[in-house]
Amino acid sequence: MAEVLIAGGGPAGSTLAILLGRRGRTVELFERAAFPRDKPCGEGLMPAGVAILARLGLIEAVGGRPFHGIRYHFKDRVIEGTFPGRAHGLAQRRTVLDRVLFEEAARTPGVTAHAGARVDAPIVERGRVRGLVVEGRARPAKLVVAADGARSPIRRALGLDLPPKRRRVGLRRHYRLRDPLPARFVEVFLTPDCELYVAPLPAREVLVAALAEARAAQGASRLFDAWCGAEPTVAGWLDGAAPVSELRGAFPLEARACRGAGPGYVLLGDAAGFIDPITGGGLAQALASAELLARSMPPDLDRDESWLWRFERGRKRMLRPYRILTRAMLWLAAHQTQAGRVLALMSGRPHLFSRLLALAGGVQ
């Protein structure tokens, strides 16, 4: 019997499996999809996540294009900031990142990784989660980790779902450009209708993503093209570019859980809840939470479960500054007059902007 069962082989689940296996734990990892898989995602890994990849020894395997800061565009104003010191982000397709992490998990001693494995339900006895039903077969374990995404079936089965407060939608498509963009910045355009993100990827590709209120996202393909065409800089970059992926979307851009841990289980990554991807730190948060969980586990998982609540408190402390920043960015996106004033203020105080950027990147 494995000590830990992990439902979901994305960045959070696979990273946790690697870390636990390297610590001598026995783990089974279940992923319902086959690799490579594609997901609607920003595909920018902030510096805190890059540092974790480095500690895992996977930077070269993941590859990607480094970026050193964020540049915001609002009407005729441009404000840019770089991450402190030698910190940098990394832009790479999710098809690559997910595959590299899952394959490393599968190679890790102590980890048994299953792709194309359907997790049916958690096993709950006397108020405690004691395993998973996978493909109709009961698998007991000392701990179950639900890393099964924003719409986590396990979170729902345990009665932990809360309704989202916001109804926002995300759309994204990849393009191959005639000429590569400089990779120094991720470009963010604040427009009246949406926030547009352009991230430079390897092989002259870029990711273009749009976040908007759901009520504005009827006829998604037409609107996405209109949003890109209405921003002259983005339209210029995409002139003559070839789409290399289908338009894909995600809704809602928020998930909520009434708690993230309990007797015999932990929710991890998006399954534990998230506010909005507007500040681009979701992937880094997933990896950081997995690392914290691996460090928090005691040698004997049967002896005392109080560590679960200590982990949850620690995770909330770790993510609190980022959540505050995300809420502030959402407010500014909805109040563009004030957003212009804030950007004007930041342009005259570059050190303050760099501090906020360090916070978003997880390096402060």
Side-chain angles (χ1 to χ4, degrees):
M1 181 182 78
E3 291 180 273
V4 181
L5 302 182
I6 304 173
S14 291
T15 297
L16 179 63
I18 295 166
L19 293 168
L20 294 181
R22 292 180 182 182
R23 285 166 169 77
R25 304 277 191 181
T26 55
V27 180
E28 281 199 85
L29 174 65
F30 303 99
E31 169 54 44
R32 62 189 171 192
F35 292 89
R37 63 176 192 174
D38 203 5
K39 296 190 71 175
C41 176
E43 297 184 332
L45 186 62
M46 289 296 218
V50 175
I52 294 171
L53 283 185
R55 290 194 285 274
L56 293 174
L58 296 176
I59 288 289
E60 291 187 9
V62 170
R65 291 191 72 183
F67 60 91
H68 299 274
I70 310 291
R71 181 155 51 195
Y72 284 91
H73 305 253
F74 180 73
K75 297 181 179 178
D76 59 349
R77 187 179 298 277
V78 178
I79 176 172
E80 62 184 44
T82 56
F83 301 121
R86 301 176 64 182
H88 68 274
L90 195 64
Q92 179 59 288
R93 293 283 296 268
R94 278 294 297 270
T95 52
V96 176
L97 177 65
D98 287 14
R99 175 184 55 79
V100 168
L101 287 170
F102 188 84
E103 289 178 353
E104 179 63 22
R107 287 192 294 266
T108 303
V111 178
T112 304
H114 308 268
R118 184 190 71 251
V119 174
D120 299 320
I123 300 171
V124 182
E125 297 175 358
R126 295 188 295 276
R128 187 184 189 280
V129 176
R130 299 188 180 274
L132 294 172
V133 179
V134 182
E135 301 283 353
R137 178 184 170 189
R139 294 178 180 266
K142 297 179 180 180
L143 180 70
V144 166
V145 177
D148 51 347
R151 299 184 180 181
S152 170
I154 293 179
R155 184 184 68 220
R156 184 171 60 251
L158 293 175
L160 302 175
D161 257 337
L162 292 174
K165 293 181 178 179
R166 300 173 183 86
R167 297 179 60 82
R168 279 166 49 90
V169 66
L171 301 169
R172 71 98 178 102
R173 182 183 282 147
H174 300 91
Y175 297 86
R176 182 168 288 115
L177 306 182
R178 291 181 301 185
D179 300 305
L181 284 183
R184 186 166 175 77
F185 296 101
V186 169
E187 311 281 352
V188 183
F189 297 83
L190 303 178
T191 80
D193 298 313
C194 69
E195 305 95 56
L196 275 176
Y197 295 76
V198 180
L201 295 166
R204 291 188 291 115
E205 291 185 4
V206 295
L207 167 79
V208 181
L211 308 181
E213 293 298 320
R215 63 176 179 270
Q218 303 299 316
S221 181
R222 177 182 57 80
L223 275 176
F224 184 81
D225 290 339
W227 290 338
C228 293
E231 186 56 54
T233 302
V234 177
W237 289 336
L238 298 183
D239 184 29
V244 292
S245 70
E246 295 181 357
L247 182 69
R248 298 193 64 179
F251 171 82
L253 296 183
E254 182 184 39
R256 299 173 65 221
C258 57
R259 57 182 177 274
Y265 73 87
V266 172
L267 307 182
L268 190 64
D270 285 350
F274 62 95
I275 300 174
D276 193 277
I278 192 169
T279 40
L283 282 172
Q285 287 185 40
L287 269 60
S289 296
E291 192 175 58
L292 178 63
L293 179 56
R295 290 200 308 263
S296 299
M297 287 188 190
D300 187 353
L301 295 176
D302 285 330
R303 187 170 183 178
D304 180 9
E305 289 194 317
S306 62
W307 72 271
L308 286 163
W309 287 269
R310 289 195 297 272
F311 159 74
E312 180 65 357
R313 289 193 297 270
R315 175 167 59 180
K316 287 180 178 179
R317 285 195 301 271
M318 180 178 71
L319 299 181
R320 185 176 295 121
Y322 184 85
R323 289 177 178 270
I324 293 171
L325 181 61
T326 299
R327 291 189 180 98
M329 286 295 296
L330 284 169
W331 189 87
L332 288 174
H335 299 81
Q336 296 225 338
T337 299
Q338 288 84 347
R341 293 170 181 165
V342 170
L343 288 177
L345 175 68
M346 292 296 176
S347 65
R349 294 168 173 79
H351 294 298
L352 177 58
F353 184 63
S354 294
R355 289 284 296 273
L356 290 174
L357 195 59
L359 182 64
V363 290
Q364 183 162 322

